Amino acid sequence: MMTTARNLDPAKLADGLKAGQRAALARAITLVESRKREHRRLAQHLIQELLPLTGKALRVGITGVPGVGKSTTIDTLGSNLTAAGHKVAVLAVDPSSTRTGGSILGDKTRMAQLAVNQNAFIRPSPSAGTLGGVAAKTRETMLLCEAAGYDVILVETVGIGQSETTVADMVDFFLVLMLPGAGDELQGIKKGVLEIADMIAVNKADGDGATRARTAASDYRAALHILAPKSPTWTPPVITVSGLANEGLDHLWEQITVFRERMQASGEWHQKRSGQQVAWMWDMLQQRMMEALTSNTRTADRLKSLEEEVRGGKTAVSLAVDELATLMGLGE
């Protein structure tokens, strides 16, 4: 569909989203992903208009190494949830998309059930920009989905490393999928992933993999035992599931809802959400300042030469930063 000024009218888009129109949601997401300055202003007005309708969904982040079965598990879990009356949105944070064009299109074909489900919505991460930029757009997309009536948001981290922490910082619950046969994998697992996990689910626990999955789960429980829990209210459980066979996913979701109930009762739920909003503000401010630094001809040109001077040991880092700050009008 051709994008016109009429299609991008914030008031009309807001009305469409409130009515649950998928076409309006798609156009609204396209608007917030746009890099054009006028589109950014329109997107701000749209988000502000829809703000009272946001915040009611349960936001779940999901990560796991390639081959762990994220797409299959999300497809099955999402289908279970829609069958139970939920509306599910699947979003992706994929920093690798800046280099490879992204993998979510392949994921979408693997999510065969959700791709044709009228109560589900699948959206890839933007195909350009830094991880910070991708994350910012994913946060805004999440708000738009909530305003459109989606009450479960599944945020998949397609990439690895920093993307896991980024997703954990924008969701309520962070699920880490693991493979059976934890022996070698446990040796190489990043401690940081265990520290941010709210649950570990050993996937592919069916058929010949069931016994290995139970053994792996026991190893992961032992690994978690030596870490201090993030919350006095919640100890991350380790369970076994099979996304392919649809086994253990009801129990997985039950644990997530118990988590929400406990966190809401303790006040930690609201505290975490509020903290995420403030952190998001600072992230966007830093990103905007970097954009100003690199888009201004005078500072951008000097930035390149200063990089070379610092790389060659000719200029001290602190002096280079001070000069750039002065050029941006931030000097003393």
Side-chain angles (χ1 to χ4, degrees), residues 257-276:
T257 57
V258 169
F259 171 86
R260 176 172 58 180
E261 291 168 359
R262 291 186 185 177
M263 290 296 168
Q264 288 178 338
S266 70
E268 293 171 79
W269 185 272
H270 175 73
Q271 184 179 11
K272 182 177 181 180
R273 282 275 183 102
S274 300
Q276 287 176 342

Side-chain angles (χ1 to χ4, degrees), residues 48-67:
Q48 185 64 33
E49 169 75 17
L50 296 170
L51 209 54
L53 301 177
T54 66
K56 300 178 179 65
L58 179 48
R59 306 165 180 174
V60 180
I62 301 176
T63 193
V65 298

Side-chain angles (χ1 to χ4, degrees), residues 217-238:
S218 178
D219 290 340
Y220 290 129
R221 289 189 192 99
L224 282 174
H225 186 68
I226 64 175
L227 297 177
K230 293 190 299 180
S231 164
T233 310
W234 182 257
T235 299
V238 180

Side-chain angles (χ1 to χ4, degrees), residues 98-143:
T98 60
R99 301 185 300 273
T100 66
S103 61
I104 190 68
L105 184 60
D107 286 342
K108 192 168 182 177
T109 62
R110 288 193 291 271
M111 296 180 195
Q113 299 177 78
L114 288 183
V116 296
N117 191 323
Q118 288 301 305
N119 288 317
F121 184 84
I122 303 174
R123 184 75 178 192
S125 58
S127 59
T130 62
L131 173 56
V134 169
K137 301 308 181 186
T138 302
R139 284 187 175 102
E140 292 176 333
T141 298
M142 186 163 57
L143 296 179

Side-chain angles (χ1 to χ4, degrees), residues 144-297:
L144 294 174
C145 289
E146 290 179 345
Y150 292 87
D151 62 320
V152 176
I153 311 291
L154 304 179
V155 184
E156 176 188 6
T157 164
V158 181
I160 57 176
Q162 183 61 32
S163 65
E164 292 165 340
T165 303
T166 300
V167 170
D169 288 342
M170 69 170 73
V171 298
D172 304 310
F173 187 95
F174 194 66
L175 169 66
V176 179
L177 294 179
M178 293 293 189
L179 288 164
D184 293 335
E185 187 185 353
L186 188 59
Q187 298 299 320
I189 190 172
K190 291 175 294 183
K191 180 183 176 183
V193 176
L194 292 180
E195 289 177 334
I196 61 178
D198 292 305
M199 179 194 292
I200 289 179
V202 182
N203 195 23
K204 304 188 178 182
D206 55 82
D208 295 338
T211 300
R212 290 188 298 120
R214 286 193 294 269
T215 301
S218 178
D219 290 340
Y220 290 129
R221 289 189 192 99
L224 282 174
H225 186 68
I226 64 175
L227 297 177
K230 293 190 299 180
S231 164
T233 310
W234 182 257
T235 299
V238 180
I239 66 172
T240 59
V241 301
S242 171
L244 182 63
N246 198 1
E247 295 176 1
L249 297 184
D250 288 343
H251 178 57
L252 183 153
W253 188 252
E254 180 183 314
Q255 289 293 300
I256 293 176
T257 57
V258 169
F259 171 86
R260 176 172 58 180
E261 291 168 359
R262 291 186 185 177
M263 290 296 168
Q264 288 178 338
S266 70
E268 293 171 79
W269 185 272
H270 175 73
Q271 184 179 11
K272 182 177 181 180
R273 282 275 183 102
S274 300
Q276 287 176 342
Q277 288 293 102
V278 174
W280 181 15
M281 182 190 75
W282 281 105
D283 287 345
M284 290 191 71
L285 179 60
Q286 291 170 2
Q287 183 185 349
R288 189 67 60 85
M289 292 181 70
M290 286 302 299
E291 289 177 358
L293 176 65
T294 56
S295 62
N296 182 287
T297 303

